[in-house]
Amino acid sequence: MNLTMGEIADPVQFKEEGNKHFQAGEIDKAIECYTKAIKSCKDKKALAVIYRNRSACFLKKENYNNAVSDASKAIDVDAADIKALYRRCQALEKLGKLDMAFKDVQRCATLEPKNKTFLETLRRLGADIQQKLKTTFSTDSRVQNMFDILFSDESDKEKQEKAANNLIVLAREDAGAERIFQNNGVPLLVQLIDTGKPEMILAAIRTLSGMCTGHRARATAIIHTVGISKLCSIMAVDNEEIVLATANLFQCVYDSLSGGDKRNYGKEEALVLDSSKDLKDILLALLEMIASKKVSGHGRDQALNLLTKNVPRKDKKNTDNSKGLFTIDHGLKKILKVCGQVPDLPDQLPLTENTQLIASVLLNKLYDDMRCDPERDHFRDTCDEYIKSKFDPNDMDRNIHAINTLSGILQGPFDVGNVLAGRQGVMEMMVALCGSEREVDQLVAVEALIHASTKTSKASFFISNGVTLLKDMYKKTKNEKIKIRALVGLCKLGSAGGDDYSMRQFAEGSTEKLAKQCRKWLCNPTLDVRTRKWAVEGLAYLTNDADVKDDFVEDEAALRAMFELAKSKDKTILYAVACTLVNCTNSYDKKEIIPEMVQLAKFSKQHVPEQHPKDKKDFIERRVKRLLKAGVTSALAVMVKADNSILTDQTKEMLASRYFSKSFEIKTFHYYVLQALLPLALEGTDKGKIKASHALAKIAAVSNPEIAFPAERIYEVVRPLVSLLNTERDGLENFEALLGLTNLAALNDKLRVKILKEKALPEIENYMFEEHDQIRQAATECMCNLVCCKEVQDRYLEDGNDKLKLLVLLCGEDDVQLQRAAAGALAMLTAAQKKLAVKITKVTGQWLEIIQRLCIHDNPEIQHRGLVTVFNMLDADEQLAKKLIECELLEILTYVAKLEDNPKKQDAINAARACLSRAMDTGLIKPFSN
């Protein structure tokens, strides 16, 4: 408490500490000190100075709203505070408020009419405002012209399509979107929708999406003008393209209303920010859609997808799961209704091949979102009540709806489904359905048995009761559809031992026979896709056996058939395909076996897993080559583009974490693999994203990025690589990410700016201090390529940091590659900024010795870079040039300049001669007379 009283009594001390932190580049600490000073300061003038200083901190942090606020408080005390005025001008310019920024700098120029900075800013802002006005007026006329073309009956189709596309592009830019909005754009777009023409509806919906992206006020206006019910009716149509566009519009609106908009609305904020009712209305509308017969299968899929994406908490640390509870109370039974649909029966909801799996994924995410046992009990009781309500001894259709609902729950929150499957009457109903003469009854029953046996450790009830049923159905039925499903159920139960050779469930050769039958069904084009999918499900389990893996990869027809299925519209197959690929390549995580522990286990008569001879490295590599030959890469590229809800995080992790990181050699990567890796690196589990990012880093590190990442793809690779620059990642991931970024930074300025925007610079600087030689070298090489950027040069110009000192000291290291990179960075920095050439002499007393060592280095590249640095120093400052010429450096320059021309050393010789010429031009030395 005494310390606190002292602090309150002396705000000046806090202010001084804040100044020191600011000079040292410790902006967060400076803000903290200034904030404490503000709380305890009573003097108005002193308070204004502190606010002005904190405004400078917020400018550095790019927190422009707070920078404006603090500068305004300083100006309120002293209207002629020129520093506060200019800082507010800078912040307002960044916020896009050019007219207000112009007024502030105009005031600054009035107070200091000879200040070149103020005059230049005044001229630039004036030009920007004129350009903005010109653009605004031209945009207004363009917007009106586009709508005229779209509504005209005389315009040809090609002209209308061009106008629609231009409108969409314009809406993606904030200024363009605002002009459309201000020019009565939303009602006009509603009129376009009302034309009923698919191409017009599509253009209108995409334009609305662009307009509301990241803008809460416009999103609110669009929702109220167009209406949620109208948007739902558009998303209900049986046109996949329109449905996807409308779903994207809903997502843009939802993001903007729920915090995706960071704008400062000032006085209007209270009106704009209350979006809770709109968000609730959207959720209710989507829940109504999923159980409506008027909605198409594609529309239902997208309604479920939107709920999956927006209802569950993204961060489990957030304790507010009210959206999940609201959805369970108002929509759980509707989701269960979708799960229970049997397409072969009459009067069912329109569905796609993927609808019921998407519903199961949503159920699983909702259950995971529950925070306590009472909430989970309520979820389970609601499901139980729904299934019980469907059982009817006099109506078999209702019964199979109940069992199919159970199947959907078993594919989602398995623990809930397992409990419900053990309820009285459920197993008896399955037995009755298995014995039914109707094919649909048998199909529903056997699929329920398969899903119930997914987790053998938790499905003991079904293992003990269902095996006999499955065996009987497999032996007795002549229906291929039922036979294959029964086989898959037996495969699941038979693969309980995983890849442990000593725990094979079937007799020798039985597993291979089952797999052969699965491959036969898989390759049979006369069977429907849904039935062939079950053949892949069987292989997903049977390929735990190494003999089955080897036989499968040798069957190219079966591989190609599986890959073609993976590319089909039925995305429910993705997980099974991913499992099969992971098994064939042994890409699953395995614990390291310690020989001593094996001996101990044998001594204590514990089970010791055994490796199959065909699971050794040479067999695995051969299998990978066979998969590549059969076209696995193109299949994977299609798989990762699947609907987000179906491509679960677990499936993504299997593909990224295991498949890419362990199975492929770098030489196998090509365009299709890149298409697969980029989505996996940006979405999914943390582990999956890290592994996919690491795979991208490997490619970027050892190949020409322009060839490996064609066109705009190269810019998308930056973020995954930067994500690996983290102390929580291992050294190899750090190293290869730095190498990849080095190659990217060498290409063009646009890529260098992209790397800086991803906030990679502080991390790269940290790795330059790394003790590990290779990581430090890679970070320095990356910095060498980044110093071309003005922003990086400015960081080296700042006072109070050791960045330049570190570069100079690294030039004195013994590691040749490290010296080469550091000397290159130093040469480029001193060429770009003369002040840095002078600053070198102040950072360390060893600077001259280090520069001289560079100039006489055995490596021609390092020598050349050292001599270029000397030339830049001679050119930068007269006193510094005199000091350099008066020391031993003149002898070194003379010696190198007099060497005979040599292609290997020519760059260094020319640089030395240029140094002497420069010294002669300034009169520091004179040429020898004849």
Side-chain angles (χ1 to χ4, degrees):
M1 287 299 290
N2 292 335
L3 178 64
T4 306
M5 291 301 290
E7 288 174 355
I8 291 170
D10 192 13
V12 178
Q13 185 180 347
F14 280 128
K15 179 194 157 193
E16 294 303 323
E17 284 182 20
N19 293 346
K20 288 176 185 175
H21 286 308
F22 184 82
Q23 291 296 327
E26 298 168 342
I27 307 301
D28 288 327
K29 290 182 180 177
I31 290 172
E32 189 180 336
C33 289
Y34 290 141
T35 303
K36 288 179 180 177
I38 286 167
K39 287 179 180 176
S40 56
C41 185
K42 304 297 181 187
D43 182 81
K44 277 192 175 183
K45 288 187 178 180
L47 193 60
V49 173
I50 299 167
Y51 272 122
R52 187 178 71 198
N53 290 358
R54 195 171 73 169
S55 177
C57 293
F58 285 130
L59 267 176
K60 287 276 187 186
K61 295 287 288 181
E62 298 180 10
N63 189 338
Y64 301 121
N65 284 320
N66 283 352
V68 169
S69 176
D70 276 8
S72 298
K73 287 170 184 173
I75 294 163
D76 288 343
V77 176
D78 180 4
D81 188 334
I82 204 159
K83 287 184 179 179
L85 281 165
Y86 191 63
R87 281 169 193 165
R88 188 169 74 175
C89 162
Q90 289 175 297
L92 287 167
E93 183 184 358
K94 291 291 185 182
L95 290 168
K97 299 177 180 179
L98 300 184
D99 51 343
M100 295 170 71
F102 184 82
K103 287 178 183 177
D104 279 348
V105 76
Q106 198 173 38
R107 187 83 184 278
C108 292
T110 305
L111 293 168
E112 285 188 20
K114 293 184 180 179
N115 189 305
K116 289 182 180 179
T117 303
F118 297 158
L119 293 173
E120 172 58 26
T121 307
L122 192 65
R123 184 197 62 76
R124 180 170 49 77
L125 284 176
D128 288 348
I129 289 169
Q130 288 299 317
Q131 184 59 40
K132 188 177 179 183
L133 288 170
K134 187 178 177 183
T135 305
T136 299
F137 289 127
S138 65
T139 303
D140 286 348
S141 61
R142 279 171 61 206
V143 169
Q144 191 56 53
N145 187 39
M146 286 176 213
F147 278 117
D148 289 343
I149 293 168
L150 289 169
F151 285 116
S152 172
D153 294 329
E154 297 175 5
S155 299
D156 59 68
K157 191 175 181 182
E158 188 178 339
K159 206 172 182 181
Q160 285 187 326
E161 283 179 6
K162 190 175 179 181
N165 288 331
N166 287 341
L167 207 59
I168 294 165
V169 171
L170 195 63
R172 287 174 184 160
E173 298 172 7
D174 191 57
E178 188 60 27
R179 297 326 303 161
I180 296 171
F181 186 75
Q182 295 295 341
N183 281 273
N184 201 35
V186 179
L188 289 171
L189 289 168
V190 172
Q191 287 181 41
L192 268 187
I193 292 168
D194 291 339
T195 62
K197 297 176 183 176
E199 63 276 10
M200 294 297 182
I201 295 172
L202 204 54
I205 294 295
R206 286 173 175 167
T207 304
L208 289 168
S209 296
M211 288 172 65
C212 69
T213 299
H215 200 292
R216 197 173 305 187
R218 288 201 293 262
T220 304
I222 287 167
I223 280 293
H224 291 166
T225 305
V226 182
I228 295 171
S229 59
K230 189 178 187 71
L231 288 177
C232 287
S233 66
I234 298 168
M235 199 165 84
V237 301
D238 193 14
N239 181 317
E240 190 173 3
E241 205 172 5
I242 291 175
V243 168
L244 286 170
T246 314
N248 181 56
L249 172 56
F250 264 123
Q251 188 60 57
C252 293
V253 168
Y254 201 92
D255 287 343
S256 298
L257 295 183
S258 58
D261 181 6
K262 304 298 180 188
R263 287 173 179 75
N264 179 12
Y265 286 100
K267 293 176 182 178
E268 301 167 18
E269 191 143 0
L271 299 173
V272 176
L273 293 186
D274 187 16
S275 307
S276 55
K277 185 179 183 302
D278 289 332
L279 290 170
K280 188 182 285 187
D281 288 345
I282 290 171
L283 284 182
L284 283 170
L286 292 173
L287 289 170
E288 285 299 319
M289 279 189 74
I290 60 176
S292 170
K293 285 186 179 180
K294 295 178 182 178
V295 177
S296 68
H298 295 301
R300 203 176 319 281
D301 285 0
Q302 293 309 317
L304 289 164
N305 279 333
L306 286 166
L307 291 167
T308 303
K309 187 171 182 180
N310 297 298
V311 171
R313 291 169 291 161
K314 290 178 175 62
D315 183 1
K316 290 294 187 283
K317 292 178 184 175
N318 177 12
T319 56
D320 181 16
N321 67 336
S322 56
K323 282 191 289 186
L325 296 174
F326 178 84
T327 303
I328 288 167
D329 288 341
H330 293 83
L332 180 55
K333 290 184 178 180
K334 292 171 183 173
I335 302 167
L336 293 172
K337 180 180 179 180
V338 175
C339 288
Q341 296 300 295
V342 183
D344 297 331
L345 293 180
D347 200 32
Q348 300 293 292
L349 297 175
L351 306 175
T352 68
E353 303 92 337
N354 307 313
T355 307
Q356 287 169 299
L357 182 59
I358 299 172
S360 295
V361 171
L362 175 55
L363 286 175
N364 192 48
K365 287 191 175 280
L366 288 173
Y367 187 70
D368 284 345
D369 200 47
M370 301 296 97
R371 291 178 53 237
C372 57
D373 286 343
E375 289 178 1
R376 283 185 278 271
D377 291 342
H378 173 62
F379 183 99
R380 188 172 55 248
D381 291 344
T382 305
C383 294
D384 191 16
E385 180 189 326
Y386 181 85
I387 290 173
K388 280 180 181 175
S389 70
K390 297 298 174 186
F391 281 136
D392 185 345
N394 301 316
D395 190 341
M396 195 58 81
D397 286 357
R398 286 176 64 85
N399 291 331
I400 62 172
H401 178 85
I403 297 300
N404 216 33
T405 304
L406 179 60
S407 277
I409 299 170
L410 287 164
Q411 290 178 83
F414 181 84
D415 293 342
V416 175
N418 199 32
V419 170
L420 299 180
R423 294 278 197 253
Q424 186 178 358
V426 174
M427 191 65 199
E428 290 80 356
M429 180 55 67
M430 286 192 187
V431 172
L433 291 173
C434 287
S436 171
E437 293 181 2
R438 282 202 312 177
E439 180 187 286
V440 65
D441 297 344
Q442 294 181 49
L443 286 173
V444 169
V446 75
E447 286 182 18
L449 286 168
I450 291 167
H451 296 313
S453 57
T454 296
K455 296 183 182 179
T456 51
S457 60
K458 295 185 177 181
S460 53
F461 175 82
F462 270 93
I463 291 168
S464 57
N465 294 278
V467 175
T468 308
L469 272 174
L470 290 170
K471 282 183 178 178
D472 287 346
M473 292 183 80
Y474 182 69
K475 288 175 183 176
K476 294 175 183 178
T477 187
K478 292 181 181 179
N479 187 317
E480 295 277 279
K481 293 180 180 179
I482 296 167
K483 201 176 189 74
I484 193 170
R485 288 164 171 77
L487 172 64
V488 172
L490 292 171
C491 291
K492 280 191 174 187
L493 299 175
S495 63
D499 66 344
D500 185 353
Y501 184 48
S502 62
M503 289 185 67
R504 294 170 71 132
Q505 300 296 303
F506 298 135
E508 191 74 36
S510 297
T511 307
E512 290 93 308
K513 286 179 183 176
L514 289 172
K516 188 176 180 180
Q517 183 60 54
C518 283
R519 298 206 310 272
K520 183 181 172 184
W521 279 321
L522 178 59
C523 296
N524 186 350
T526 60
L527 293 174
D528 61 277
V529 171
R530 197 173 167 197
T531 302
R532 291 166 68 205
K533 178 194 81 171
W534 285 103
V536 182
E537 289 272 358
L539 288 167
Y541 290 93
L542 293 171
T543 46
N544 278 306
D545 187 298
D547 288 319
V548 173
K549 298 177 198 180
D550 248 36
D551 291 343
F552 182 46
V553 297
E554 293 298 323
D555 188 344
E556 192 168 327
L559 287 176
R560 289 187 183 279
M562 182 175 78
F563 297 152
E564 285 306 312
L565 281 179
K567 297 175 187 178
S568 70
K569 287 186 177 181
D570 186 351
K571 299 303 179 186
T572 58
I573 197 173
L574 294 182
Y575 185 75
V577 174
C579 285
T580 306
L581 292 174
V582 165
N583 289 341
C584 287
T585 54
N586 286 48
S587 299
Y588 35 72
D589 292 330
K590 293 198 75 171
K591 290 181 180 178
E592 185 182 351
I593 297 174
I594 303 167
E596 291 82 358
M597 295 302 292
V598 172
Q599 293 301 321
L600 185 62
K602 285 180 178 176
F603 180 76
S604 59
K605 296 183 180 179
Q606 295 294 316
H607 172 69
V608 179
E610 293 179 23
Q611 186 183 41
H612 194 289
K614 289 185 179 179
D615 274 334
K616 291 182 179 174
K617 188 177 180 181
D618 53 340
F619 281 93
I620 296 169
E621 288 178 356
R622 193 169 68 197
R623 290 200 289 267
V624 169
K625 287 175 183 175
R626 296 290 301 177
L627 288 168
L628 287 167
K629 186 181 176 185
V632 66
T633 46
S634 60
L636 288 165
V638 174
M639 286 169 69
V640 298
K641 287 181 179 178
D643 193 291
N644 279 340
S645 298
I646 293 174
L647 188 66
T648 60
D649 288 346
Q650 189 179 359
T651 310
K652 288 178 189 173
E653 186 177 316
M654 288 171 72
L655 293 171
S657 172
R658 298 160 185 178
Y659 203 92
F660 290 112
S661 63
K662 296 183 182 180
S663 299
F664 283 118
E665 297 296 328
I666 289 299
K667 62 186 177 185
T668 69
F669 280 109
H670 52 67
Y671 179 69
Y672 287 121
V673 176
L674 173 64
Q675 281 188 306
L677 278 172
L678 276 170
L680 294 173
L682 298 172
E683 293 182 358
T685 63
D686 289 340
K687 184 177 178 181
K689 287 191 288 188
I690 290 164
K691 292 301 178 183
S693 299
H694 191 192
L696 286 170
K698 283 177 181 286
I699 302 171
V702 300
S703 59
N704 181 344
E706 287 179 303
I707 297 172
F709 313 117
E712 295 300 308
R713 288 283 185 186
I714 198 166
Y715 299 99
E716 296 175 41
V717 174
V718 173
R719 183 173 294 174
L721 266 59
V722 172
S723 71
L724 296 175
L725 301 184
N726 189 310
T727 51
E728 293 180 6
R729 308 283 79 82
D730 65 40
L732 183 61
E733 290 165 350
N734 297 156
F735 175 66
E736 290 182 329
L738 287 166
L739 288 184
L741 289 169
T742 301
N743 287 344
L744 293 173
L747 294 177
N748 58 57
D749 204 48
K750 192 176 175 183
L751 269 168
R752 289 188 280 272
V753 170
K754 174 69 175 171
I755 291 169
L756 298 181
K757 279 186 176 178
E758 294 295 338
K759 305 195 186 304
L761 193 59
E763 301 299 335
I764 295 166
E765 288 171 345
N766 288 340
Y767 284 115
M768 289 173 70
F769 289 93
E770 178 67 47
E771 291 181 9
H772 192 286
D773 292 341
Q774 287 179 297
I775 293 177
R776 183 172 52 167
Q777 175 199 318
T780 309
E781 287 177 349
C782 191
M783 184 59 71
C784 180
N785 288 343
L786 287 172
V787 293
C788 304
C789 279
K790 180 73 167 58
E791 187 179 328
V792 179
Q793 294 163 14
D794 290 343
R795 286 175 75 93
Y796 277 90
L797 281 168
E798 288 173 3
D799 293 328
N801 65 63
D802 292 330
K803 293 178 177 63
L804 190 62
K805 180 180 179 180
L806 175 64
L807 264 188
V808 175
L809 292 175
L810 290 177
C811 288
E813 291 285 324
D814 295 329
D815 186 321
V816 174
Q817 294 299 324
L818 182 61
Q819 268 188 306
R820 178 177 167 276
L826 206 60
M828 285 192 282
L829 281 169
T830 51
Q833 299 286 345
K834 290 186 177 182
K835 288 181 181 178
L836 289 174
V838 178
K839 191 177 177 181
I840 287 175
T841 64
K842 300 173 184 177
V843 294
T844 173
Q846 303 171 45
W847 70 271
L848 188 55
E849 180 189 342
I850 290 170
I851 295 292
Q852 288 174 344
R853 281 181 61 192
L854 292 177
C855 293
I856 57 172
H857 204 284
D858 294 337
N859 185 300
E861 279 192 86
I862 295 174
Q863 185 181 30
H864 172 237
R865 294 173 184 210
L867 289 164
V868 169
T869 304
V870 171
F871 177 84
N872 296 334
M873 295 173 80
L874 289 169
D875 193 45
D877 182 79
E878 191 176 330
Q879 292 300 317
L880 175 57
K882 189 176 180 183
K883 186 174 182 178
L884 291 172
I885 293 300
E886 288 174 351
C887 70
E888 295 173 358
L889 197 58
L890 179 59
E891 293 179 36
I892 296 170
L893 294 173
T894 306
Y895 170 76
V896 178
K898 285 183 176 180
L899 290 173
E900 291 184 10
D901 287 353
N902 181 338
K904 291 183 179 178
K905 292 191 170 185
Q906 198 59 47
D907 287 339
I909 294 167
N910 291 342
R913 291 171 182 172
C915 288
L916 292 176
S917 295
R918 181 64 189 159
M920 283 190 284
D921 292 344
T922 54
L924 293 171
I925 60 172
K926 293 180 181 178
F928 286 116
S929 62
N930 290 334

